[in-house]
Amino acid sequence: MSASRTKFYLDKQNAKWSGVCAGIADYTGIDVLWVRVAAVLGTLMGSGVLIIAYFLIAWMGTPKPFALYGSNEEARFWQGVRSNPTASTRDIKSRFRDIDRRLADIEQYYTSHNRRLADEIDALR
């Protein structure tokens, strides 16, 4: 079974304790340092609810599969999908439109401007 790239995972590879802050950082795309600072400040200012939530997440969370992402670029892509799926879909559609337009330009250039190539293709038929 393939691991879901849009699911929250505990990041045990970058963990200090149980990987909750590293998992939140991986899920949201925020630097793990800032997530840890927010967790410490929230714990100091809060009533202990954050500590309970931290240990519940650590207990219920699934460890992130090793090599979930092939590269840093892929990790950033999936973080974008999780944070704003509509923008990610729009970006992918835009990229495909651009590739399709460029392929059409290449096809049009070689079929209309290169008479020698067209003659060679006709000779092969």
Side-chain angles (χ1 to χ4, degrees):
M1 182 165 120
S2 172
S4 173
R5 289 177 176 84
T6 56
K7 180 181 173 188
F8 173 78
Y9 291 108
L10 300 173
D11 189 355
K12 300 281 188 174
Q13 289 113 2
N14 299 314
K16 293 294 181 189
W17 284 334
S18 61
V20 174
C21 289
I24 291 170
D26 179 55
Y27 188 80
T28 60
I30 299 171
D31 187 54
V32 69
L33 172 72
W34 297 115
V35 174
R36 288 179 179 141
V37 167
V40 168
L41 290 176
T43 302
L44 294 175
M45 292 182 191
S47 61
V49 175
L50 195 59
I51 294 172
I52 294 169
Y54 182 92
F55 286 111
L56 281 174
I57 293 169
W59 179 60
M60 295 184 337
T62 307
K64 182 171 91 170
F66 186 72
L68 179 64
Y69 309 116
S71 65
N72 287 336
E73 182 180 329
E74 186 179 352
R76 283 190 303 272
F77 169 77
W78 285 107
Q79 288 166 352
V81 169
R82 290 186 294 260
S83 65
N84 194 348
T86 305
S88 297
T89 304
R90 196 172 39 243
D91 182 46
I92 290 171
K93 284 181 182 179
S94 173
R95 287 182 188 182
F96 277 124
R97 266 189 250 114
D98 183 51
I99 291 170
D100 190 43
R101 181 194 52 77
R102 290 169 48 204
L103 282 172
D105 289 346
I106 291 169
E107 182 180 277
Q108 200 268 334
Y109 173 79
Y110 278 106
T111 57
S112 65
H113 297 310
N114 196 339
R115 191 69 212 149
R116 192 184 97 212
L117 179 62
D119 291 340
E120 287 180 23
I121 291 172
D122 286 339
L124 292 173
R125 290 184 187 167

